[in-house]
């Protein structure tokens, strides 16, 4: 009699994972849904994927989405659905392949987003604070840029004739999205007003200018290259594209003078004159009016600075699309190209909520990010689209104590067998989630804007939270070390993958390997 090796293997694996003797397993299988679920997941992983080449690649980057953020968000998702929470999965955690990724920069043990995203987009690690250039750069020195530029996956996709897109809930000129298209000696040179005079005089251009004139700069950098420009750009950061003149304010401007540019250039108008077939949008109504089947390119700038936190999005003056809505619309435009596309989607505000010490905000934006991944998976063909989901770095965000199963993830620690919050040696309760450093405790109640914390004084150290509801959106966790902003961490982050080429995602890898996965799938570089 032939042995069914897959069935045998799954049975052995389940016996080991459940701790049950093989004789007990049949009865356990019959009445335990968990067994069926686990067996299904294992069998999915046993399926062999022999496809390595993809038509499309979507790279999702949850900025600051470390492993503790994933675990907390997974539990939070389950608890919002009325479950204990620990047993669930985020959509992308069910992808068949995963790896751990080392995040250090060339000159830093704990990285920043500029260096990490440059590594993912170019295949070369670089220094903290610089964009689209290699480690021979000197940060802030314009003269060191020339000759040290790196080419990115997005640029290579353009050269190959694919459609390309960039989405971010941060400013579109911020470090992570900027690393897909810009070359800059300093991540902070988002517009000309941010640059020192010597850099401007030396011929360096600001990041917003490089985005609008991406096509011109790329073609001038490489002889014989002819590209048609980035098809989809959506995010925040409108101020970097407008003159410092109230006459150029958008209808939903919240500042007296919205623009920051000191060179009197309106880059939104320049983009529209350059791409007469393009649609410029700045609010929810404009976004909703997009016809993705007929629209050839979109430039969406939905906020002066960063887009709203997901929990605060309903409070926007003129409305903003969610990251899932932007992702679905981008795919609708990009998949009109029969050659395929490359799309980068960043959830930038996970990172910002962590910096503000607000776990509720970070988890809410992580779940919005998960919804975007789900939208991408449902709106693409899994046989021809490689989806990669990762982070650029983690945060000093902890899950601590010994809370019982199903204890509210945003709540105070309640030990197994107890109904009352546990107390520390100082006699006070403490929360499961916390930060090693940062602004510290704040009880802002129903406040959904994580950044409201920056208007308060630093309040690090232990606080008596006995009578505080720590599950509200405006609760900011305690922090040990007082800092004006919570910091990144240097720990590994995760990479999850599905689609052609995803089987190469395994083990512990350097962050620049992400570029090589994209290149392998799309065949961007010819040997």
């Amino acid at each position: 009699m032939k042995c069914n090796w897959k069935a045998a293997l799954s049975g052995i694996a389940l016996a080991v994972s459940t701790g049950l003797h093989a004789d007990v397993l049949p009865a356990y299988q019959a009445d335990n849904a968990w067994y069926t679920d686990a067996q299904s997941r294992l069998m999915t992983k046993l399926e062999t994927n022999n496809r390595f080449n993809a038509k499309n690649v979507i790279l999702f980057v949850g900025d600051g989405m470390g492993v503790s953020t994933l675990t907390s968000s997974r539990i939070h998702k389950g608890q919002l659905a009325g479950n204990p929470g620990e047993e669930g999965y985020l959509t992308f955690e069910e992808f068949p392949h995963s790896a751990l990724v080392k995040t250090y920069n060339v000159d830093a043990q704990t990285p920043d987003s500029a260096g990490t995203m440059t590594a993912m987009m170019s295949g070369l690690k670089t220094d903290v604070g610089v964009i689209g250039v290699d480690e021979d750069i000197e940060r802030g020195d314009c003269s060191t840029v020339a000759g040290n530029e790196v080419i990115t996956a997005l640029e290579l996709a353009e050269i190959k004739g694919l459609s390309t897109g960039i989405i971010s809930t941060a400013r579109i000129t911020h470090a992570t999205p900027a690393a897909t298209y810009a070359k800059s000696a300093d991540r902070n040179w988002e517009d000309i007003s941010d640059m020192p005079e010597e850099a401007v005089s030396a011929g360096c251009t600001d990041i917003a200018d490089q985005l609008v004139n991406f096509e011109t700069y790329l073609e001038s950098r490489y002889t014989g290259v002819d590209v048609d420009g980035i098809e989809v750009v959506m995010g925040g950061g409108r101020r970097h594209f407008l003159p410092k003149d109230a006459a150029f304010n958008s209808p939903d401007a919240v500042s007296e003078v919205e623009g920051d540019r000191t060179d009197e250039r309106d880059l939104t108008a320049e983009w529209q004159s350059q791409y007469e077939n393009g649609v410029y949008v700045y609010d929810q109504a404009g976004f909703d009016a997009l016809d993705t089947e007929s629209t050839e390119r979109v430039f969406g700038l939905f906020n002066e600075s960063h887009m709203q936190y997901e929990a605060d999005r309903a409070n926007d003056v003129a409305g903003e699309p969610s990251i899932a809505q932007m992702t679905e619309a981008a795919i609708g435009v990009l998949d009109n190209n029969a050659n395929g596309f490359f799309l980068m989607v960043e959830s930038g505000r996970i990172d910002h909520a962590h910096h503000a010490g607000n776990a509720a905000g970070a988890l809410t934006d992580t779940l919005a990010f998960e919804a975007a991944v789900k939208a991408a998976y449902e709106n693409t063909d899994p046989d021809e689209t490689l989806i990669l989901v990762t982070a650029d770095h983690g945060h000093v965000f902890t899950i601590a104590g010994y809370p019982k199963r199903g204890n509210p993830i945003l709540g105070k620690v309640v030990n197994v067998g107890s109904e009352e919050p546990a107390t520390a040696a100082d006699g006070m309760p403490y929360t499961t989630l916390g930060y090693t450093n940062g602004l510290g405790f704040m009880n802002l109640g129903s406040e959904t804007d994580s950044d409201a914390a920056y208007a308060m004084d630093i309040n690090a150290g232990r606080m008596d939270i006995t009578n505080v509801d720590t599950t509200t959106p405006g609760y900011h966790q305690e922090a040990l070390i007082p800092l004006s902003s919570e910091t990144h961490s240097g720990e590994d982050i995760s990479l999850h993958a599905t689609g052609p080429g995803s089987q190469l995602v395994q083990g512990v890898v350097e962050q620049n390997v992400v570029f090589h996965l994209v290149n392998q799938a799309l065949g961007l570089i010819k040997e």
Side-chain angles (χ1 to χ4, degrees):
M1 183 175 66
K2 293 183 178 180
C3 174
N4 185 328
W5 67 271
K6 287 188 177 181
L9 180 57
S10 65
I12 293 168
L14 264 297
V16 171
S17 64
T18 59
L20 299 175
H21 190 277
D23 293 342
V24 181
L25 270 174
Y28 184 76
Q29 295 168 4
D31 60 5
N32 197 308
W34 178 87
Y35 173 87
T36 304
D37 179 60
Q39 184 181 47
S40 174
R41 293 175 191 281
L42 180 60
M43 297 306 291
T44 298
K45 289 180 180 292
L46 289 171
E47 294 297 327
T48 301
N49 176 8
N50 290 319
R51 297 182 303 276
F52 287 89
N53 301 120
K55 178 181 178 182
N56 317 304
V57 171
I58 306 176
L59 172 61
F60 282 94
V61 180
D63 199 315
M65 191 181 69
V67 172
S68 293
T69 303
L70 290 180
T71 304
S72 303
S73 298
R74 177 197 312 148
I75 295 171
H76 189 48
K77 174 186 176 183
Q79 292 180 345
L80 289 173
N83 302 316
E86 295 84 358
E87 70 290 336
Y89 294 87
L90 298 174
T91 298
F92 51 86
E93 290 179 323
E94 298 187 87
F95 287 177
H97 304 285
S98 59
L100 290 176
V101 179
K102 299 190 287 181
T103 63
Y104 65 93
N105 295 144
V106 168
D107 61 345
Q109 192 171 70
T110 296
D112 89 321
S113 297
T116 52
M117 191 59 177
T118 296
M120 286 192 277
M121 289 305 299
S122 72
L124 293 171
K125 282 187 178 256
T126 192
D127 293 345
V128 162
V130 300
I131 290 172
V133 288
D134 64 28
E135 64 184 278
D136 293 329
I137 190 81
E138 182 178 335
R139 184 174 183 179
D141 186 347
C142 172
S143 68
T144 64
V145 173
N148 291 320
E149 302 97 330
V150 296
I151 193 165
T152 70
L154 183 139
E155 291 171 325
L156 288 165
E158 275 286 321
I159 292 170
K160 189 175 180 181
L162 305 184
S163 288
T164 57
I166 312 163
I167 292 172
S168 178
T169 55
R171 295 191 297 270
I172 205 67
T173 49
H174 213 235
T176 302
T180 66
Y181 62 84
K183 321 295 172 189
S184 182
D186 197 307
R187 59 175 287 174
N188 295 322
W189 292 356
E190 295 184 60
D191 73 61
I192 195 168
S193 70
D194 301 321
M195 299 175 66
E197 180 55 41
E198 56 268 27
V200 177
S201 300
C204 279
T205 52
D206 63 85
I207 293 169
D209 178 281
Q210 290 187 57
L211 175 57
V212 169
N213 293 293
F214 169 85
E215 183 177 346
T216 300
Y217 289 128
L218 182 58
E219 289 177 348
S220 66
R221 196 173 295 124
Y222 301 102
T223 303
V225 165
D226 182 19
V227 298
D228 62 359
I230 304 169
E231 280 75 14
V232 176
V233 175
M234 295 185 192
R238 203 162 53 216
R239 72 189 190 200
H240 297 299
F241 297 84
L242 297 174
K244 195 170 185 178
D245 182 341
F248 291 87
N249 281 7
S250 303
D252 64 339
V254 295
S255 299
E256 185 176 335
V257 178
E258 180 179 34
D260 274 357
R261 299 193 67 85
T262 52
D263 57 3
E264 301 182 352
R265 292 171 63 192
D266 179 355
L267 295 186
T268 65
E270 289 185 22
W271 182 88
Q272 290 175 86
S273 64
Q274 185 177 171
Y275 298 110
E276 294 181 358
N277 63 342
V279 180
Y280 171 66
V281 294
Y282 60 85
D283 61 6
Q284 185 73 52
F287 176 84
D288 291 342
L290 289 173
D291 180 353
T292 59
E293 292 302 309
S294 62
T295 300
E296 295 183 35
R297 65 182 70 235
V298 182
F299 189 22
L301 295 174
F302 299 107
N303 205 297
E304 288 180 25
S305 184
H306 304 302
M307 292 181 68
Q308 302 286 352
Y309 288 101
E310 177 62 23
D312 208 35
R313 195 160 55 83
N315 298 325
D316 188 72
V317 174
E320 291 180 354
S322 69
I323 188 171
Q325 290 171 333
M326 290 191 290
T327 299
E328 185 172 349
I331 292 169
V333 173
L334 297 175
D335 68 8
N336 294 327
N337 185 344
N339 294 326
F341 65 82
F342 171 78
L343 173 64
M344 191 288 294
V345 181
E346 184 214 15
S347 178
R349 310 235 63 190
I350 299 170
D351 177 71
H352 299 163
H354 276 320
H355 280 308
N358 180 218
L363 303 193
T364 299
D365 269 67
T366 300
L367 294 184
F369 177 70
E370 181 209 19
V373 177
K374 185 172 185 288
Y377 186 79
E378 292 176 346
N379 285 277
T380 55
D381 184 345
D383 289 334
E384 61 183 25
T385 304
L386 170 63
I387 298 178
L388 301 168
V389 183
T390 189
D392 47 357
H393 55 73
H395 278 265
V396 291
F397 177 59
T398 62
I399 306 174
Y402 297 99
K404 63 184 179 181
R405 174 78 185 276
N407 196 60
I409 191 64
L410 292 169
K412 300 162 191 170
V413 170
V414 177
N415 290 335
V416 175
S418 178
E419 298 300 323
E420 297 298 321
T423 55
D426 57 12
M428 294 188 291
Y430 56 99
T431 54
T432 302
L433 302 181
Y435 293 93
T436 302
N437 58 42
L439 292 162
F441 166 81
M442 292 178 194
N443 182 25
L444 305 183
S446 61
E447 177 60 68
T448 50
D449 181 3
S450 299
D451 294 347
Y454 293 112
M456 311 294 177
D457 293 331
I458 295 175
N459 196 26
R462 287 285 284 146
M463 304 292 162
D464 186 355
I465 59 173
T466 301
N467 298 314
V468 175
D469 181 359
T470 65
T471 65
T472 62
Y475 180 78
H476 292 238
Q477 282 71 17
E478 293 167 292
L480 172 64
I481 300 167
L483 290 176
S484 60
S485 178
E486 180 265 2
T487 71
H488 299 169
S489 66
E491 67 198 22
D492 295 351
I493 49 84
S494 60
L495 170 62
H496 306 270
T498 187
S502 64
Q503 64 272 45
L504 299 175
V505 175
Q506 54 183 294
V508 179
V509 300
E510 297 286 356
Q511 196 157 38
N512 51 304
V513 167
V514 172
F515 166 84
H516 297 287
L517 293 167
V518 176
N519 175 49
Q520 160 62 39
L522 293 177
L524 299 176
I525 299 175
K526 301 297 183 183
E527 295 295 337

